[in-house]
Amino acid sequence: MSTGCRDCSTCTKPGLVRVFEKWMVGLLYLLTVGIAYIIKRGMRSHCPQCNHLLARHARRRDGSFAD
């Protein structure tokens, strides 16, 4: 069973560097999700009663809400 090669840059990195790289990937993921959440909540209109997006509510032809 091979535990790693001796020549590639990934296997020759110190363990702390590999842990830091994985931590950075996780941080980047959290930042992406956080920014998407802020855009969704901050930029789009939500119903004050149920907090659903206003675009999902049924409307009549005159623009008033059907429900």
Side-chain angles (χ1 to χ4, degrees), residues 2-66:
S2 176
T3 60
C5 64
R6 60 184 175 91
D7 295 331
C8 76
S9 63
T10 302
C11 292
T12 57
K13 288 180 186 174
L16 190 59
V17 172
R18 285 183 283 186
V19 168
F20 181 72
E21 286 176 347
K22 288 185 181 194
W23 179 77
M24 288 300 292
V25 170
L27 182 63
L28 182 64
Y29 174 75
L30 286 176
L31 283 173
T32 304
V33 170
I35 290 170
Y37 179 77
I38 289 170
I39 289 172
K40 180 189 177 295
R41 296 300 296 172
M43 301 287 188
R44 302 193 67 191
S45 298
H46 290 78
C47 175
Q49 292 177 347
C50 66
N51 288 329
H52 291 142
L53 292 172
L54 280 179
R56 307 281 272 175
H57 281 275
R59 294 181 186 246
R60 296 186 190 99
R61 290 188 136 202
D62 63 357
S64 63
F65 292 110

